[in-house]
Amino acid sequence: MGFVFGVVLGIIVGLAIIVAFVRSENSRSTKRSQLAATIAAFARMTVEDSRKLLPSQYYPSWVVFSSRQKLTWLNSHLTKIWPYVNDAASELIKTSVEPILEEYRPMVLASLKFSKFTLGTVAPQFTGVSIIEDGGDGVTMELEMQWDGNPSIIIDIKTHLGVALPVQVKNIGFTGVFRLIFKPLVNEIPGFGAVSYSLRQKKKLDFTLKVIGGDISAIPGLYDAIEGAIRDAVEDSITWPVRKIVPILPGDYSDLELKPVGILEVKLVQAKELTNKDIIGKSDPYAVLYIRPLRNRMKKSKTINNDLNPIWNEHFEFIVEDASTQHLFVKVYDSEGLQSSELLGCTDIRLSELQPGKIKDVWLKLVKDLEIQRDNKNRGQVHLELLYCPYGTENSFTNPFAPNYSMTSLEKVIKSSTNGMESNGNENEVAQKKKEVIIRGVLSVTVISAEDLPAVDFMGKSDPFAVLTLKKAETKNKTRVVNNSLNPVWNQTFDFVVEDGLHEMLLVEVYDHDTFGKDYMGRVILTLTRVILEGEYKERFELDGAKSGYLNLHLKWMPQPIYRDS
């Protein structure tokens, strides 16, 4: 009996195992089919489908959707014809670059000329091409190029002491994007009147310099001087927005040439939370600003010693040549005296983000490298006021940085006539000097209240008061102390006589009053640009340097423009 029961039980268990195995295999087969169908669906997805499914901010930094097409066929043909291209292009490049190189010749050198220039035997490789849709009356094409060539380039340099040195340019590595513009489109063969070409983006340009038969380091500063001259020559000769125009059909193509289109007014206000690079003390920051990285177009601020929250309040002016593609770059350095400065951080802003005639007040985050898309380390921020003024629109909006701002019609007439005069004698020299308007007036500041201040007293409260300071004039005022409050209400108004509004700043610092001193709680730093433009405004400001807290202020401007001799 037990034997029979065991056999039956074994058969039942065996059948159960077989059924479970079959069901498991069927389930796995179904899942594999579904997975295969899903993978096939993903394989059929386009870039547009991917962007619809997942927003760009959720992609990792290494995911790139390229709109460029491969150019294997072009590279194959270019390799075959490169010896002929080398012969033709070498002399053309030499004759066009040499005058610009001489223009940027360092002062320590008497001459700087090519004695030999060939592009070598290695052809560049075009890694992609794309068509740019700009809605204009032309066709814009961009070619991405990579070149690790073996050119033979020798520069003959002579110093003012009569020393001649042949310098070889070696190990050139270049990656960039060239832009070709076929414009204007015409109804004649080949369909366009001219071709403009330019280096749209210079991703990498590396090279080394070597004195033939000697050591370039024997002359201090020579390497950096020559390297800077070469980079400036490349930047000024072919880098966008500079473009070279090749006429295809007869015609006037002067409208395609590079021309200034406006002025960018920049006020470098301050920076905060900068990285400390010094072992003893704090960094000594200064800023370098530019649109095009040419040495004669780069602006440098003053150095603020031993401060990670520097206040500059400096005004700069830049020429704009293409507002749709150019950027303003800001680099903050730690000054090291005679040694080379150390980069604290950099940032940029597209000029296309600026509305002409309207001041943009912006805080920009500093990063280590603009090519690195994601830099999570806090390197500080920089505060700018920006105003883009296109040429031809000066009368359509108010530019507070212009020297004739806040002048009456009579004053403008007087100033224009004064500017056009020439001094005919000592008696009239003072009266006929050019004059410059000063934005002078009375600034009325009402400190209304504060909210959510940090508790610094032992009992969990504070006794706050505010100190108002005009930074340039060093004029100070102080509110009363409000005891035992983290949300004090003052409603006190202070008037300041401002002698130079465009270069003045208002600092409002909040302190906790103690019997034996005071504890710093935070501050608000304001330029007067906005109140000069608007006349009056009220706003809630976040306290800098505090864990929490806001300050409610009301500002009013009563202008009294005056003149001074310039």
Side-chain angles (χ1 to χ4, degrees):
M1 186 68 181
F3 175 75
V4 174
F5 177 77
V7 171
V8 173
L9 181 62
I11 293 173
I12 294 173
V13 171
L15 290 174
I17 292 174
I18 292 172
V19 171
F21 178 75
V22 171
R23 287 186 175 181
S24 174
E25 286 299 307
N26 290 338
S27 176
R28 291 177 62 186
S29 177
T30 302
K31 289 181 179 180
R32 282 196 297 267
S33 299
Q34 293 174 348
L35 182 59
T38 302
I39 293 174
F42 272 111
R44 291 191 298 269
M45 282 178 57
T46 63
V47 171
E48 288 73 20
D49 294 333
S50 302
R51 288 175 174 169
K52 290 178 183 177
L53 287 176
L54 193 62
S56 58
Q57 61 265 31
Y58 295 107
Y59 288 109
S61 58
W62 47 265
V63 173
V64 177
F65 292 108
S66 175
S67 60
R68 304 185 186 276
Q69 301 178 13
K70 299 295 183 181
L71 289 171
T72 307
W73 60 272
L74 178 59
N75 293 326
S76 176
H77 289 291
L78 183 60
T79 301
K80 295 178 181 178
I81 66 172
W82 181 248
Y84 308 99
V85 174
N86 176 33
D87 293 339
S90 294
E91 186 62 29
L92 176 63
I93 296 174
K94 177 183 175 181
T95 54
S96 60
V97 173
E98 196 170 68
I100 301 174
L101 193 62
E102 180 66 20
E103 180 182 346
Y104 287 99
R105 172 176 51 84
M107 296 296 294
V108 297
L109 301 179
S111 67
L112 191 66
K113 295 183 178 180
F114 291 111
S115 63
K116 186 177 182 180
F117 192 106
T118 61
L119 296 176
T121 59
V122 178
Q125 296 293 300
F126 290 98
T127 57
V129 61
S130 61
I131 303 298
I132 307 301
E133 300 290 343
D134 56 4
D137 59 340
V139 176
T140 302
M141 178 186 299
E142 290 192 346
L143 294 165
E144 186 170 355
M145 191 187 84
Q146 182 176 344
W147 186 45
D148 294 308
N150 59 344
S152 179
I153 302 175
I154 298 177
I155 304 174
D156 279 344
I157 64 172
K158 290 183 180 180
T159 65
H160 291 287
L161 299 176
V163 179
L165 296 172
V167 177
Q168 185 178 13
V169 183
K170 300 178 61 179
N171 304 325
I172 294 181
F174 172 80
T175 302
V177 178
F178 279 91
R179 170 172 283 191
L180 301 178
I181 303 176
F182 303 89
K183 185 178 180 180
L185 300 180
V186 296
N187 55 2
E188 300 179 40
I189 299 297
F192 49 89
V195 179
S196 305
Y197 65 91
S198 175
L199 177 58
R200 173 66 181 85
Q201 184 181 8
K202 184 178 65 203
K203 295 184 177 180
K204 185 186 77 169
L205 176 58
D206 297 329
F207 57 87
T208 57
L209 302 174
K210 181 183 179 181
V211 172
I212 299 176
D215 185 5
I216 196 170
S217 62
I219 303 178
L222 182 61
Y223 189 101
D224 291 339
I226 298 176
E227 181 186 25
I230 293 175
R231 292 188 182 276
D232 281 349
V234 172
E235 185 70 31
D236 199 21
S237 62
I238 196 173
T239 304
W240 184 265
V242 177
R243 74 287 306 263
K244 301 295 183 181
I245 301 170
V246 180
I248 304 299
L249 299 175
D252 180 15
Y253 303 110
S254 58
D255 59 320
L256 302 179
E257 296 175 354
L258 177 65
K259 298 176 182 177
V261 296
I263 295 292
L264 177 67
E265 308 277 359
V266 180
K267 180 175 280 189
L268 174 66
V269 183
Q270 60 175 319
K272 65 179 181 181
E273 300 174 0
L274 297 179
T275 305
N276 189 12
K277 295 290 186 177
D278 291 353
I279 299 176
I280 300 175
K282 299 177 181 178
S283 297
D284 308 314
Y286 69 89
V288 175
L289 301 88
Y290 61 90
I291 292 180
R292 293 178 61 192
L294 297 171
R295 283 175 290 181
N296 60 350
R297 291 202 183 185
M298 301 172 77
K299 310 293 185 180
K300 180 181 176 182
S301 75
K302 60 179 178 285
T303 300
I304 307 296
N305 293 323
N306 203 37
D307 197 341
L308 300 181
N309 299 282
I311 300 174
W312 289 291
N313 196 33
E314 294 187 62
H315 173 250
F316 304 101
E317 191 175 274
F318 298 91
I319 296 174
V320 178
E321 289 142 330
D322 188 347
S324 63
T325 61
Q326 288 186 303
H327 294 221
L328 173 70
F329 297 91
V330 182
K331 294 186 176 182
V332 181
Y333 293 89
D334 174 25
S335 177
E336 298 292 347
L338 298 178
Q339 300 179 5
S340 60
S341 300
E342 189 170 359
L343 181 66
L344 297 178
C346 55
T347 187
D348 71 327
I349 182 170
R350 293 190 297 270
L351 302 190
S352 58
E353 297 179 14
L354 306 181
Q355 181 178 340
K358 185 175 181 181
I359 288 182
K360 185 178 182 69
D361 189 297
V362 62
W363 282 92
L364 299 176
K365 180 183 176 183
L366 295 174
V367 296
K368 182 179 180 180
D369 190 334
L370 293 174
E371 297 298 326
I372 299 176
Q373 298 298 319
R374 298 187 180 183
D375 184 4
N376 295 324
K377 183 177 178 180
N378 181 25
R379 302 179 188 277
Q381 301 178 68
V382 64
H383 182 196
L384 303 174
E385 286 182 354
L386 306 169
L387 174 64
Y388 173 51
C389 306
Y391 290 146
T393 59
E394 291 82 359
N395 297 324
S396 61
F397 56 82
T398 301
N399 178 5
F401 300 107
N404 62 349
Y405 174 68
S406 293
M407 298 170 66
T408 65
S409 299
L410 177 61
E411 289 169 337
K412 291 179 181 179
V413 171
I414 294 173
K415 182 172 188 292
S416 61
S417 62
T418 302
N419 288 344
M421 289 182 181
E422 293 183 359
S423 178
N424 296 319
N426 294 332
E427 298 177 353
N428 298 324
E429 282 186 0
V430 175
Q432 293 171 348
K433 281 185 177 180
K434 291 185 178 180
K435 294 180 180 293
E436 176 186 348
V437 72
I438 303 174
I439 308 301
R440 184 180 188 271
V442 176
L443 175 67
S444 180
V445 183
T446 301
V447 185
I448 302 171
S449 63
E451 305 171 22
D452 195 25
L453 295 178
V456 295
D457 283 352
F458 181 73
M459 299 300 294
K461 292 284 186 178
S462 297
D463 306 315
F465 67 97
V467 177
L468 295 81
T469 307
L470 284 185
K471 185 173 175 60
K472 187 175 181 180
E474 298 183 350
T475 307
K476 291 190 177 184
N477 275 304
K478 184 173 67 172
T479 69
R480 66 178 179 272
V481 176
V482 178
N483 294 318
N484 255 356
S485 177
L486 300 181
N487 299 281
V489 177
W490 289 290
N491 277 324
Q492 288 184 261
T493 301
F494 305 93
D495 291 335
F496 296 90
V497 176
V498 179
E499 297 293 341
D500 191 358
L502 290 182
H503 301 95
E504 190 58 272
M505 298 188 74
L506 175 67
L507 277 70
V508 184
E509 298 171 299
V510 181
Y511 293 92
D512 171 45
H513 179 268
D514 287 330
T515 305
F516 301 104
K518 58 184 180 181
D519 296 322
Y520 177 76
M521 301 177 72
R523 71 180 181 182
V524 171
I525 301 175
L526 301 173
T527 67
L528 306 190
T529 309
R530 180 180 173 187
V531 72
I532 290 173
L533 277 176
E534 299 182 9
E536 183 177 3
Y537 73 92
K538 177 181 176 182
E539 190 157 323
R540 180 174 181 253
F541 298 95
E542 185 177 0
L543 285 177
D544 282 338
K547 295 180 180 178
S548 62
Y550 297 89
L551 196 61
N552 296 302
L553 300 176
H554 177 265
L555 285 80
K556 185 177 181 180
W557 175 256
M558 290 159 282
Q560 298 175 355
I562 62 172
Y563 285 111
R564 68 177 173 196
D565 291 336
S566 60

